[in-house]
Amino acid sequence: MAKRALVTGASSGIGAATVRLFRARGWDVLAVARREDRLRALADETGATWFRADVTSDDDVAALRAHVDETGPLHVLVNNAGGAFGLDSVEHGSVDDWRRMFEVNVLGTKRAVSALLPALRRGAEEAGGADVVTVTSIAGHVAYEGGGGYNASKFAEHALVAVLRLELTGEPIRVVEIAPGMVHTEEFSLVRFGGDQARADAVYSAVEAPLVAEDVAESIVHSVELPAHVNLDLVTIKPVAQAAPYKIAKGPLRVSRD
């Protein structure tokens, strides 16, 4: 029997790459996102099923829960939906941008966990275990100038994951945090900078081999395919060129002769 994974934020980037990799490994996958056209295309490509839902909407998440309950147990929840908006200081940052980041990065994850844990428990009873995997960021562990609201929301999401792990102690449900650094996807920086393509491209300019979505997807799928007694509490994944959010090598990587 194939196990079933649900991936939020599945319409692009890390979410779409994770759906593709789960399907390639033989999993049943329910892809969830706001953009129906992209979900349909991904389903046609991979054979995944899809459900249109915005994790910032109580009604959408309630409908998602009902759909999952009707269509069978769940073995893996991947909380991938998230985003960054702006790169302003704490003093001058937009309260609306901060609100949007907390809504999707923190409350969106909380909604999904609350709604889908019953289905994960049924899956754990059936298969011997289940997993909650949440994609946070190194921004949830290390502050940086301009991080402001994104740092705050991702630190909060990291705390949410840590508390959930404590609360589920004694149940056969692993709680995994994947914290990527610089990942070059088609939308993350573009959204952060309000559609300014030149500014988004500059983030990755001259950086040798930033991560791509498939690198993070590999860590997500690997974490849930390990033996059931092994839990990767926290996986931090960065390109070699990045030492910290604020320290990134530009140009080719070379061995120092000093």
Side-chain angles (χ1 to χ4, degrees), residues 124-144:
E125 287 180 331
E126 174 191 79
D131 298 88
V132 178
V133 182
T134 302
V135 180
T136 62
S137 170
I138 61 171
H141 299 263
V142 180
Y144 60 92

Side-chain angles (χ1 to χ4, degrees), residues 202-255:
V203 172
Y204 311 101
S205 176
V207 178
E208 182 171 320
L211 299 179
V212 294
E214 289 75 16
D215 297 321
V216 184
E218 185 68 43
S219 68
I220 291 169
V221 176
H222 172 71
S223 73
V224 303
E225 290 188 335
L226 288 168
H229 69 287
V230 177
N231 192 89
L232 298 184
D233 281 18
L234 171 62
V235 178
T236 303
I237 175 171
K238 304 192 301 289
V240 174
Q242 183 178 37
Y246 49 80
K247 189 171 181 63
I248 301 169
K250 297 282 188 172
L253 300 177
R254 293 191 176 93
V255 175

Side-chain angles (χ1 to χ4, degrees), residues 89-256:
S89 68
V90 172
E91 180 182 5
H92 297 295
S94 162
V95 170
D96 287 340
D97 283 347
W98 281 56
R99 185 178 293 111
R100 291 169 69 196
M101 285 185 277
F102 270 83
E103 192 65 55
V104 66
N105 295 329
V106 185
L107 299 180
T109 297
K110 184 266 188 287
R111 286 187 185 92
V113 168
S114 294
L116 298 170
L117 261 177
L120 286 167
R121 287 188 170 105
R122 291 192 294 274
E125 287 180 331
E126 174 191 79
D131 298 88
V132 178
V133 182
T134 302
V135 180
T136 62
S137 170
I138 61 171
H141 299 263
V142 180
Y144 60 92
E145 289 180 283
Y150 189 58
N151 280 142
S153 67
K154 285 296 182 177
F155 267 81
E157 190 177 28
H158 164 65
L160 181 159
V161 171
V163 173
L164 180 65
R165 187 179 297 113
L166 294 173
E167 292 172 346
L168 294 181
T169 300
E171 298 189 55
I173 301 175
R174 297 182 293 195
V175 177
V176 178
E177 178 182 353
I178 307 291
M182 175 180 280
V183 186
H184 192 177
T185 63
E186 67 270 30
E187 291 190 322
F188 180 83
S189 289
L190 190 63
V191 170
R192 184 170 209 170
F193 297 125
D196 186 334
Q197 188 68 62
R199 195 176 179 192
D201 291 343
V203 172
Y204 311 101
S205 176
V207 178
E208 182 171 320
L211 299 179
V212 294
E214 289 75 16
D215 297 321
V216 184
E218 185 68 43
S219 68
I220 291 169
V221 176
H222 172 71
S223 73
V224 303
E225 290 188 335
L226 288 168
H229 69 287
V230 177
N231 192 89
L232 298 184
D233 281 18
L234 171 62
V235 178
T236 303
I237 175 171
K238 304 192 301 289
V240 174
Q242 183 178 37
Y246 49 80
K247 189 171 181 63
I248 301 169
K250 297 282 188 172
L253 300 177
R254 293 191 176 93
V255 175
S256 174

Side-chain angles (χ1 to χ4, degrees), residues 16-114:
T18 302
V19 170
R20 292 186 181 102
L21 186 56
F22 268 127
R23 289 295 298 142
R25 300 279 179 86
W27 287 70
D28 289 337
V29 182
L30 177 59
V32 177
R34 294 173 297 124
R35 293 176 289 186
E36 183 173 326
D37 57 337
R38 291 192 173 220
L39 288 174
R40 288 183 180 275
L42 184 63
D44 289 343
E45 173 196 343
T46 64
T49 58
W50 61 272
F51 190 88
R52 198 215 70 80
D54 182 343
V55 297
T56 69
S57 164
D58 291 341
D59 290 343
D60 281 11
V61 175
L64 174 62
R65 174 177 180 165
H67 175 77
V68 170
D69 288 345
E70 291 169 2
T71 54
L74 189 64
H75 304 96
V76 173
L77 166 62
V78 179
N79 291 306
N80 170 70
F85 307 105
L87 198 65
D88 299 318
S89 68
V90 172
E91 180 182 5
H92 297 295
S94 162
V95 170
D96 287 340
D97 283 347
W98 281 56
R99 185 178 293 111
R100 291 169 69 196
M101 285 185 277
F102 270 83
E103 192 65 55
V104 66
N105 295 329
V106 185
L107 299 180
T109 297
K110 184 266 188 287
R111 286 187 185 92
V113 168
S114 294

